[in-house]
Amino acid sequence: KVHYKNTTNVQIPNVTILANIDDAYIDIKTLSVQWGVIDGRTNSIIWNPVSVPELAVLDPKEEGVVSFSATVKQGFLPKRFSDKNLTVAARTRITAVAAPESLSGLPLESEDTVSVKINTQFSFNEKAYFQDGLLQNTGPLPPTVGQRTTFGVSWQLSSTINDVDGIEVSAKVPPNVEWTGRVYPQDANITYDPNTGIILWKPGKVFAGTGILISPARVDFQLAFTPALVHIGQVINLVSGAALEATDTFTGTKMERQVSSVNTDLLN
């Protein structure tokens, strides 16, 4: 929104407002302007008396608002670690073609710039496996009545352009599934409460470029299940859908992510 106002005590005729947008991270095709027109030569927006009749004459202390919107380019990935904490800048300027005689010699223009911070694209991915993972599993697959089978679950985090902190991931293990205590890496900040069945992972800060320029932040843990006769023909949930909360440290945006529950089908 661009707020304008005649701060003088006389009328000002023929007012024009210009807005120039930094299009490095903006999809110009999505630019939407209220009342004004877009100059394709400069990617600027123009509001004048033709499109906004109120600008033909601004009475003393008269004020108003014009606005525009655009969408950030999708899928922006950093090419180097310095590609972080990005902003979109818009510079606006208001002028009058001719100053009233009582204001002659005074500059009838004003300028302002606003910067909008861009949120990171933060991903929370999950993989469940029996083999081809970081943890070695044992037992029959498909699971067999009376025999113990172990499974690996991997949680992975990625962030594009901003650091992410205050991350907590939690999920619940049902009482008929065993937490084996095997975790990779061994020093991962992940805990299991046998009284509630809750797994809690606090990975610390995930830096911009994680998952793109460096490997994702990752933890693998192992669960075990021993089927009974009643489980024949059933798909068994090993862990509930994990929920994540985190904060983009640059924009301050609170983020929530969720993945589906893991079962013995290992569909992913």
Side-chain angles (χ1 to χ4, degrees):
K1 292 183 177 181
V2 181
H3 297 259
Y4 62 89
K5 182 178 182 178
N6 176 3
T7 61
T8 75
N9 294 315
V10 297
Q11 288 183 332
I12 300 178
N14 297 322
V15 173
T16 297
I17 301 172
L18 297 173
N20 293 100
I21 306 158
D22 176 5
D23 64 347
Y25 311 116
I26 285 292
D27 184 354
I28 289 296
K29 297 190 298 294
T30 67
L31 191 58
S32 175
V33 181
Q34 183 186 38
W35 303 320
V37 296
I38 301 170
D39 186 342
R41 298 166 297 180
T42 59
N43 288 333
S44 61
I45 305 168
I46 303 171
W47 293 272
N48 61 21
V50 175
S51 57
V52 186
E54 290 82 359
L55 296 178
V57 177
L58 278 187
D59 290 326
K61 310 304 180 184
E62 183 181 353
E63 57 188 290
V65 177
V66 293
S67 65
F68 64 92
S69 65
T71 302
V72 176
K73 289 178 180 176
Q74 297 300 306
F76 179 79
L77 299 178
K79 295 181 174 60
R80 57 192 69 84
F81 287 107
S82 58
D83 291 340
K84 63 180 295 186
N85 297 354
L86 306 180
T87 60
V88 175
R91 182 171 58 87
T92 57
R93 184 167 172 259
I94 187 168
T95 62
V97 174
E101 186 175 339
S102 60
L103 300 177
S104 60
L106 297 177
L108 280 187
E109 62 180 38
S110 182
E111 217 175 77
D112 193 23
T113 299
V114 64
S115 294
V116 181
K117 298 177 178 179
I118 303 177
N119 285 320
T120 192
Q121 291 178 284
F122 185 62
S123 301
F124 175 30
N125 297 309
E126 175 185 71
K127 179 183 178 183
Y129 59 88
F130 178 76
Q131 56 188 11
D132 300 327
L134 296 178
L135 296 175
Q136 185 174 356
N137 294 295
T138 59
L141 192 71
T144 300
V145 170
Q147 297 187 50
R148 182 176 183 265
T149 299
T150 63
F151 303 87
V153 179
S154 176
W155 288 340
Q156 301 180 30
L157 307 176
S158 301
S159 181
T160 56
I161 56 172
N162 300 333
D163 297 342
V164 178
D165 207 354
I167 304 168
E168 287 194 4
V169 183
S170 62
K172 184 172 288 189
V173 178
N176 60 346
V177 174
E178 174 192 350
W179 169 269
T180 71
R182 291 195 63 198
V183 170
Y184 185 88
Q186 293 182 352
D187 60 352
N189 187 9
I190 186 169
T191 58
Y192 170 71
D193 185 341
N195 297 314
T196 62
I198 292 177
I199 303 170
L200 183 62
W201 181 38
K202 296 182 179 181
K205 183 178 289 187
V206 171
F207 296 98
T210 298
I212 300 101
L213 303 176
I214 58 175
S215 299
R218 174 172 178 167
V219 68
D220 288 40
F221 56 90
Q222 190 181 66
L223 303 172
F225 177 65
T226 303
L229 285 171
V230 70
H231 298 127
I232 290 176
Q234 296 183 18
V235 175
I236 303 301
N237 280 339
L238 299 171
V239 63
S240 67
L244 175 149
E245 295 181 352
T247 301
D248 185 318
T249 62
F250 181 55
T251 66
T253 300
K254 304 290 184 182
M255 298 178 289
E256 296 181 353
R257 302 287 186 272
Q258 192 148 9
V259 294
S260 58
S261 59
V262 174
N263 59 47
T264 50
D265 258 357
L266 306 181
L267 291 178
N268 56 352

